[in-house]
Amino acid sequence: MNSTCATGGVFHGRLASLALRFTTKCLPICFGPRRRALGGSTSDDTTSHAVSIRRSAYLSPYDRAVYMIERLLRLPSIATYLYPILVDENIKSTGHYKDPTSPLKTLFDHGYTLNMLLNELESPFVSTIDLYELVDESGYEQHQLELFWRGCVSAGLAAPEVLGSLQEAEWGGGFELALATVAAILDILQERGRLGSPDPRYIKPRSIYPAARAPHGSPRHTVLATELAQTEVAYMQDLEQLAGYAKSVRAQLDCDSSDIDTSAIFGHVDQLLALHRKFSMRIQYLAAMPTNQQFFDAIYTDLLPEFDVYSSFCASRDHAQRAYNMALPVLKQINCGVDPVFDVPSLFMRPVQRLAQYPLLFQSIVDELCNSCAFLSQEDQAKRVLVIKSMYAAMR
């Protein structure tokens, strides 16, 4: 069993092959959170003021969505609508993974629930009468969304430009903005002490969307699956930092430096971020599942076309690097909170590094699953083989 399971191609696929060629130029692959040492090195027999800076507290898109659900359930006016959605989400079959943004999308699409949340601020810029204003039935939800964004603009929670850009056809693209705006409203309510205690009768969001953990004494393959999830979260943090830097640079160079080709430098960053917002959620969910339910190949099914962005990203790196080097004197003068000399080049290498890490991490999990098969019953071995096949499919 072991020899059969442990054999097979590890690095099949044109994307993985492309990444392998590029990793010869990469920084060393880092499987854990990055640390930056300040000062001299430390040893047991010397005193030093050197410290190690870990990543700042960070919530992945998966954890942010779960945390938002937990806070919304602490508002009785919203919990009344959200709880039935969660119950339905818990019992319905959604395949091999559940997306914590699904109940939020359902909640926000109603429109009036967003207005009810905004009215929790007890501000005069939202008219409660407007919530029930008679409009054409076909445009009711859109009307509610427009009311919400008008209220947010009046409250200083959104820029005026949002009223012109968030049309009905573009609501999908506005979901991330809605998440950020709702989070800001919840922060204000929490600061004012308006968030109550969750009703103990309500289903706990973490029972639907668990977190990957590997307590002391966990099997090695569980530890590795948790590492896969944790390193994906670290990668998401890097992508969000890079995308934030790109947005800041574009905003500051919009009028002054048309000679700098920002599209060549940051051309694929937003696509990578959009892809991994979805992909990282699936990895975190599956890594928290029991071993016999970790069918990782399922998370790629509908995302394969989107992974082509890696081919474009890798193929354009030389051109992007030349454009970045030409722009560096100007970028050094921009205060974006990121060092353009050291931090940004490292962030640009992360997609290539991460693409090379996936098959290595999956192979490590497969090896441990194969090694433990000898101690399983025949029925459990059959289930384990299905998971191992899924891992190999994910690697390819």
Side-chain angles (χ1 to χ4, degrees):
M1 177 74 181
N2 291 359
S3 60
T4 303
C5 291
T7 59
V10 176
F11 228 67
H12 297 302
R14 56 193 178 93
L15 289 178
S17 300
L18 187 60
L20 184 60
R21 293 200 301 272
F22 272 86
T23 48
T24 58
K25 303 179 182 179
C26 290
L27 301 173
I29 293 177
C30 173
F31 284 85
R34 296 179 303 174
R35 299 183 181 92
R36 180 184 299 165
L38 301 181
S41 60
T42 59
S43 62
D44 295 336
D45 54 352
T46 60
T47 302
S48 172
H49 296 289
V51 295
S52 179
I53 296 181
R54 290 181 177 270
R55 291 173 180 269
S56 58
Y58 171 77
L59 288 178
S60 67
Y62 180 88
D63 294 320
R64 283 200 296 265
V66 176
Y67 180 52
M68 180 173 289
I69 293 172
E70 291 172 341
R71 292 208 289 174
L72 287 170
L73 287 175
R74 294 167 61 185
L75 285 170
S77 61
I78 303 299
T80 302
Y81 296 92
L82 180 55
Y83 179 62
I85 297 174
L86 285 177
V87 171
D88 182 60
E89 186 75 12
N90 188 40
I91 62 177
K92 73 179 181 182
S93 175
T94 57
H96 294 292
Y97 56 84
K98 291 182 181 291
D99 184 346
T101 64
S102 293
L104 294 174
K105 289 177 180 176
T106 303
L107 183 72
F108 295 170
D109 280 345
H110 291 315
Y112 60 83
T113 51
L114 287 171
N115 282 302
M116 293 176 67
L117 176 63
L118 191 59
N119 274 326
E120 290 283 345
L121 294 176
E122 296 181 344
S123 302
F125 45 80
V126 177
S127 171
T128 306
I129 296 177
D130 282 343
L131 300 182
Y132 309 99
E133 187 177 89
L134 293 177
V135 295
D136 179 32
E137 185 176 349
S138 62
Y140 177 76
E141 291 182 355
Q142 178 64 18
H143 174 69
Q144 295 297 323
L145 291 174
E146 290 175 358
L147 284 177
F148 171 72
W149 289 113
R150 284 209 301 267
C152 289
V153 170
S154 300
L157 294 168
E161 292 77 14
V162 74
L163 297 177
S165 61
L166 288 172
Q167 301 298 324
E168 183 174 9
E170 300 171 348
W171 170 237
F175 179 67
E176 292 298 327
L177 178 59
L179 285 178
T181 306
V182 169
I185 295 173
L186 290 172
D187 288 341
I188 296 172
L189 293 175
Q190 185 168 346
E191 186 178 345
R192 294 179 181 177
R194 296 288 305 279
L195 299 185
S197 300
D199 191 321
R201 297 171 297 175
Y202 288 158
I203 190 171
K204 291 180 173 56
R206 277 299 180 189
S207 66
I208 308 176
Y209 312 106
R213 306 201 189 289
H216 181 70
S218 298
R220 177 64 178 163
H221 55 76
T222 301
V223 174
L224 291 171
T226 302
E227 182 181 357
L228 172 65
Q230 290 173 342
T231 54
E232 185 68 17
V233 170
Y235 179 45
M236 268 302 304
Q237 183 178 7
D238 286 336
L239 283 180
E240 289 189 351
Q241 185 178 16
L242 183 58
Y245 176 75
K247 182 178 180 180
S248 180
V249 168
R250 289 189 184 108
Q252 297 190 46
L253 297 181
D254 187 35
C255 300
D256 301 327
S257 301
S258 58
D259 293 340
I260 295 180
D261 191 354
T262 56
S263 61
I265 299 173
F266 305 110
H268 304 287
V269 172
D270 290 338
Q271 292 172 272
L272 287 170
L273 181 59
L275 166 62
H276 282 274
R277 278 198 179 114
K278 295 176 283 189
F279 190 64
S280 64
M281 288 189 185
R282 301 177 183 188
I283 284 184
Q284 283 190 259
Y285 180 84
L286 282 183
M289 290 291 100
T291 301
N292 288 343
Q293 297 178 29
Q294 291 180 351
F295 296 101
F296 279 98
D297 62 327
I299 64 180
Y300 290 93
T301 304
D302 60 328
L303 295 179
L304 282 177
E306 295 184 47
F307 268 90
D308 285 342
V309 66
Y310 275 97
S311 296
S312 302
F313 179 85
C314 293
S316 64
R317 282 321 305 149
D318 288 342
H319 176 60
Q321 186 63 53
R322 288 193 297 270
Y324 184 79
N325 291 339
M326 293 177 60
L328 191 56
V330 176
L331 296 178
K332 287 180 180 179
Q333 302 174 27
I334 298 177
N335 183 17
C336 296
V338 180
D339 189 334
V341 178
F342 297 103
D343 292 340
V344 176
S346 176
L347 291 173
F348 271 124
M349 294 311 302
R350 289 289 285 128
V352 183
Q353 292 175 342
R354 187 58 183 169
L355 195 61
Q357 286 176 11
Y358 287 125
L360 301 177
L361 287 166
F362 283 129
Q363 182 65 57
S364 299
I365 298 173
V366 165
D367 291 343
E368 292 299 326
L369 291 176
C370 289
N371 291 337
S372 62
C373 277
F375 306 100
L376 300 176
S377 66
Q378 188 172 2
E379 180 181 356
D380 287 338
Q381 281 187 1
K383 295 178 181 178
R384 184 63 56 84
V385 167
L386 294 177
V387 175
I388 292 172
K389 288 181 178 179
S390 171
M391 295 284 184
Y392 276 122
M395 283 189 284
R396 287 195 294 270

